[in-house]
Amino acid sequence: MCVAKKNDDFFLEKKAWSIVKDELLGCYFKPYVSKILHTNRPLVYVDCFAGKGKFADGNNGSPLIALETIDQCCASTSVQRPRIEATFIDLNYADDLRENLSAYPWVKIVSGKYEDNIKAIFNFPIEIKKCMVNCCIVKKTLNLRLIVYKGTH
Protein backbone atom coordinates (compact mmCIF):
# COMPACT_ATOMS: atom_id res chain seq x y z
CA MET A 1 0.00 0.00 0.00
CA CYS A 2 1.37 3.38 -1.01
CA VAL A 3 0.81 6.22 1.45
CA ALA A 4 1.31 9.83 0.40
CA LYS A 5 3.97 11.58 2.42
CA LYS A 6 2.94 14.74 4.22
CA ASN A 7 5.70 17.22 3.53
CA ASP A 8 4.78 20.42 5.39
CA ASP A 9 7.96 22.29 4.48
CA PHE A 10 7.17 21.92 0.77
CA PHE A 11 4.63 24.75 1.03
CA LEU A 12 6.93 27.23 2.78
CA GLU A 13 8.07 28.77 -0.49
CA LYS A 14 7.44 28.11 -4.15
CA LYS A 15 10.38 26.31 -5.76
CA ALA A 16 11.76 27.15 -9.22
CA TRP A 17 10.27 24.05 -10.86
CA SER A 18 6.87 24.89 -9.41
CA ILE A 19 7.10 28.43 -10.79
CA VAL A 20 7.77 27.03 -14.27
CA LYS A 21 4.97 24.47 -13.95
CA ASP A 22 2.50 27.14 -12.91
CA GLU A 23 3.62 29.44 -15.75
CA LEU A 24 2.92 26.60 -18.18
CA LEU A 25 -0.48 26.08 -16.59
CA GLY A 26 -1.28 29.78 -16.95
CA CYS A 27 -0.11 29.88 -20.58
CA TYR A 28 -2.14 26.85 -21.61
CA PHE A 29 -5.20 27.10 -19.43
CA LYS A 30 -6.37 30.61 -20.32
CA PRO A 31 -6.83 29.99 -24.07
CA TYR A 32 -8.27 26.56 -23.28
CA VAL A 33 -10.92 27.94 -20.92
CA SER A 34 -11.74 30.80 -23.30
CA LYS A 35 -12.26 28.36 -26.15
CA ILE A 36 -14.45 26.01 -24.09
CA LEU A 37 -16.58 28.89 -22.78
CA HIS A 38 -17.23 30.03 -26.35
CA THR A 39 -18.55 26.58 -27.24
CA ASN A 40 -21.16 27.04 -24.50
CA ARG A 41 -20.35 23.56 -23.20
CA PRO A 42 -19.63 22.68 -19.57
CA LEU A 43 -16.11 22.94 -18.25
CA VAL A 44 -15.12 20.44 -15.58
CA TYR A 45 -11.77 21.13 -13.92
CA VAL A 46 -10.24 18.58 -11.59
CA ASP A 47 -6.92 18.95 -9.79
CA CYS A 48 -6.08 15.55 -8.35
CA PHE A 49 -3.08 16.68 -6.30
CA ALA A 50 -4.11 20.18 -5.28
CA GLY A 51 -1.94 20.73 -2.22
CA LYS A 52 -2.65 23.77 -0.06
CA GLY A 53 -3.45 26.11 -2.94
CA LYS A 54 -1.10 28.77 -1.63
CA PHE A 55 2.47 28.87 -0.36
CA ALA A 56 3.50 30.38 2.98
CA ASP A 57 5.57 32.98 1.07
CA GLY A 58 2.34 34.32 -0.46
CA ASN A 59 2.67 32.77 -3.91
CA ASN A 60 -0.42 31.15 -5.35
CA GLY A 61 -0.39 27.47 -6.13
CA SER A 62 -2.05 25.87 -9.13
CA PRO A 63 -5.58 25.79 -7.61
CA LEU A 64 -5.68 29.58 -7.21
CA ILE A 65 -3.98 30.13 -10.57
CA ALA A 66 -6.63 27.97 -12.25
CA LEU A 67 -9.53 29.68 -10.46
CA GLU A 68 -8.21 33.16 -11.21
CA THR A 69 -7.85 32.15 -14.86
CA ILE A 70 -11.44 30.89 -14.90
CA ASP A 71 -12.58 34.20 -13.37
CA GLN A 72 -10.67 36.22 -15.99
CA CYS A 73 -12.10 34.17 -18.84
CA CYS A 74 -15.65 34.42 -17.50
CA ALA A 75 -15.28 38.20 -17.18
CA SER A 76 -14.18 38.51 -20.80
CA THR A 77 -16.76 36.26 -22.44
CA SER A 78 -20.19 37.10 -23.73
CA VAL A 79 -21.47 33.67 -22.72
CA GLN A 80 -24.21 34.03 -20.14
CA ARG A 81 -23.91 31.80 -17.08
CA PRO A 82 -21.20 29.39 -18.22
CA ARG A 83 -21.42 25.92 -16.70
CA ILE A 84 -18.24 25.34 -14.74
CA GLU A 85 -17.41 22.80 -12.07
CA ALA A 86 -14.08 22.72 -10.26
CA THR A 87 -12.97 19.98 -7.90
CA PHE A 88 -9.74 19.91 -5.95
CA ILE A 89 -8.52 16.70 -4.33
CA ASP A 90 -5.79 16.40 -1.75
CA LEU A 91 -4.98 13.67 0.71
CA ASN A 92 -3.14 15.74 3.31
CA TYR A 93 -4.07 19.41 2.91
CA ALA A 94 -7.81 19.63 2.23
CA ASP A 95 -8.44 21.86 5.27
CA ASP A 96 -5.70 24.31 4.24
CA LEU A 97 -7.01 24.20 0.69
CA ARG A 98 -10.56 24.92 1.85
CA GLU A 99 -9.29 27.98 3.72
CA ASN A 100 -7.14 29.20 0.82
CA LEU A 101 -10.00 28.79 -1.68
CA SER A 102 -12.66 30.34 0.56
CA ALA A 103 -13.23 33.13 -1.99
CA TYR A 104 -14.58 30.43 -4.33
CA PRO A 105 -17.54 28.87 -2.47
CA TRP A 106 -18.73 27.12 -5.65
CA VAL A 107 -15.73 24.76 -5.83
CA LYS A 108 -15.72 21.29 -4.37
CA ILE A 109 -12.82 20.23 -2.16
CA VAL A 110 -12.30 16.53 -1.57
CA SER A 111 -10.13 15.16 1.21
CA GLY A 112 -8.58 11.86 0.20
CA LYS A 113 -6.79 10.00 -2.54
CA TYR A 114 -7.79 10.81 -6.08
CA GLU A 115 -7.91 7.09 -6.87
CA ASP A 116 -10.67 6.68 -4.29
CA ASN A 117 -12.68 9.71 -5.45
CA ILE A 118 -12.28 10.25 -9.17
CA LYS A 119 -15.10 7.93 -10.28
CA ALA A 120 -17.62 9.72 -8.07
CA ILE A 121 -16.44 13.10 -9.36
CA PHE A 122 -17.11 12.03 -12.93
CA ASN A 123 -20.61 10.91 -12.07
CA PHE A 124 -22.02 13.98 -13.78
CA PRO A 125 -25.51 15.44 -13.33
CA ILE A 126 -28.00 14.49 -16.04
CA GLU A 127 -27.83 17.88 -17.81
CA ILE A 128 -24.09 17.53 -18.30
CA LYS A 129 -24.30 13.89 -19.38
CA LYS A 130 -26.39 14.92 -22.36
CA CYS A 131 -23.70 17.09 -23.92
CA MET A 132 -20.02 16.97 -24.59
CA VAL A 133 -17.96 17.54 -21.47
CA ASN A 134 -14.51 19.09 -21.51
CA CYS A 135 -12.28 18.23 -18.65
CA CYS A 136 -8.79 19.19 -17.67
CA ILE A 137 -7.03 17.13 -15.03
CA VAL A 138 -3.89 18.85 -13.87
CA LYS A 139 -0.56 17.77 -12.43
CA LYS A 140 0.92 15.02 -10.38
CA THR A 141 3.81 15.78 -8.05
CA LEU A 142 6.78 17.12 -10.05
CA ASN A 143 5.30 16.47 -13.48
CA LEU A 144 2.82 18.73 -15.18
CA ARG A 145 0.19 16.58 -16.80
CA LEU A 146 -2.50 18.22 -18.83
CA ILE A 147 -5.04 15.71 -19.96
CA VAL A 148 -7.91 16.94 -22.01
CA TYR A 149 -10.90 14.65 -22.06
CA LYS A 150 -13.48 15.19 -24.71
CA GLY A 151 -16.31 12.79 -24.97
CA THR A 152 -20.03 12.28 -24.75
CA HIS A 153 -21.82 10.77 -21.81
Side-chain angles (χ1 to χ4, degrees):
M1 180 172 144
C2 181
V3 177
K5 180 174 89 172
K6 188 169 183 177
N7 191 359
D8 288 328
D9 62 347
F10 175 84
F11 292 101
L12 291 178
E13 65 178 349
K14 190 179 257 191
K15 311 294 187 277
W17 63 263
S18 189
I19 292 169
V20 171
K21 175 191 59 87
D22 288 345
E23 286 175 356
L24 290 171
L25 173 63
C27 289
Y28 176 83
F29 197 53
K30 188 170 185 175
Y32 178 79
V33 172
S34 294
K35 181 174 180 159
I36 297 307
L37 291 180
H38 284 95
T39 67
N40 208 19
R41 293 193 173 121
L43 171 69
V44 178
Y45 181 88
V46 180
D47 187 333
C48 294
F49 303 89
K52 292 184 177 186
K54 192 171 190 103
F55 290 82
D57 66 1
N59 282 300
N60 288 344
S62 57
L64 281 170
I65 291 168
L67 291 169
E68 288 172 356
T69 300
I70 290 170
D71 278 352
Q72 292 167 2
C73 293
C74 287
S76 65
T77 185
S78 60
V79 175
Q80 298 295 315
R81 297 174 26 156
R83 294 171 292 169
I84 300 171
E85 291 184 26
T87 302
F88 298 89
I89 306 169
D90 198 84
L91 178 61
N92 295 313
Y93 301 106
D95 290 336
D96 295 304
L97 186 61
R98 195 170 283 107
E99 182 178 330
N100 289 326
L101 302 186
S102 63
Y104 299 91
W106 57 273
V107 304
K108 182 176 180 184
I109 296 169
V110 177
S111 178
K113 292 181 180 179
Y114 88 93
E115 299 97 325
D116 297 337
N117 292 284
I118 198 72
K119 286 183 183 176
I121 290 167
F122 286 109
N123 185 13
F124 298 115
I126 293 171
E127 68 180 59
I128 294 177
K129 286 182 181 178
K130 292 181 180 177
C131 59
M132 180 180 277
V133 174
N134 290 280
C135 177
C136 185
I137 300 177
V138 179
K139 78 178 180 59
K140 178 177 180 177
T141 61
L142 299 176
N143 301 318
L144 174 66
R145 296 190 312 159
L146 292 172
I147 302 169
V148 179
Y149 171 86
K150 294 182 180 179
T152 55
H153 292 270

